[in-house]
Amino acid sequence: IVGRIKTNREINSLTLTYGIGVILTNLILMTWKADVRATNSSWMQEAIVVGPFYSMRSDVLFFGVSVVLIVGLWWWLSRSWYGRAVRAVSSNRDAAKLMGINPGRTELVSFIVAGILAAFAGVALFSYGVITPAYGGVLTVK
């Protein structure tokens, strides 16, 4: 669906994906209940004390995971062929085509990478505290 957008690609694809997100949220609400969910792991909720500083184990764990993911994403974007292709397509789609890059395939790869990163973010948010079905809309607007 997004690939068919020809004019004002950025704003129209953003509007389309936001609308799909609203539809999916309401389908989830119709299928399941709007219960508030939280992690049951007491290990994740325990505090780590370092001198005068306190933090939950989940915060420290997912901070470390996020640093590793940021370094991995930086490496992928700067050193791999697909990473360079993503940067080329985002910079100038027509010039990237002339260099032999398939923009459709490159966008698919970047979408998959973004989905993987979003899955890690969802797990991190779930481990942090309570989540609700409408929580995604708040994060999307931010």
Side-chain angles (χ1 to χ4, degrees):
I1 296 175
V2 177
R4 294 183 181 180
I5 297 174
K6 300 296 181 201
T7 58
N8 296 330
R9 282 181 63 86
E10 291 82 14
I11 193 68
N12 287 335
S13 63
L14 180 66
T15 305
L16 176 66
T17 54
Y18 182 75
I20 291 172
V22 170
I23 291 169
L24 288 175
T25 299
N26 287 306
L27 285 174
I28 290 169
L29 287 171
M30 288 172 33
T31 305
W32 293 286
K33 297 178 184 175
D35 296 337
V36 175
R37 306 274 181 176
T39 182
N40 293 331
S41 173
S42 60
W43 183 85
M44 295 289 249
Q45 303 300 323
E46 289 179 6
I48 293 176
V49 181
V50 179
F53 301 108
Y54 295 86
S55 183
M56 290 189 330
R57 284 185 179 166
S58 62
D59 291 346
V60 174
L61 174 69
F62 286 106
F63 176 76
V65 169
S66 67
V67 167
V68 168
L69 288 174
I70 288 170
V71 169
L73 182 64
W74 170 82
W75 181 89
W76 182 74
L77 284 172
S78 63
R79 305 283 185 221
S80 74
W81 187 89
Y82 267 115
R84 290 185 200 144
V86 167
R87 291 186 304 150
V89 169
S90 69
S91 177
N92 190 336
R93 185 179 183 87
D94 293 328
K97 280 183 186 178
L98 292 173
M99 294 292 124
I101 297 171
N102 182 350
R105 180 175 286 153
T106 303
E107 288 172 349
L108 177 65
V109 169
S110 64
F111 185 79
I112 291 170
V113 170
I116 291 169
L117 293 173
F120 277 105
V123 171
L125 285 173
F126 180 68
S127 72
Y128 178 71
V130 297
I131 57 170
T132 63
Y135 196 49
V138 174
L139 294 175
T140 303
V141 170
K142 283 184 181 179

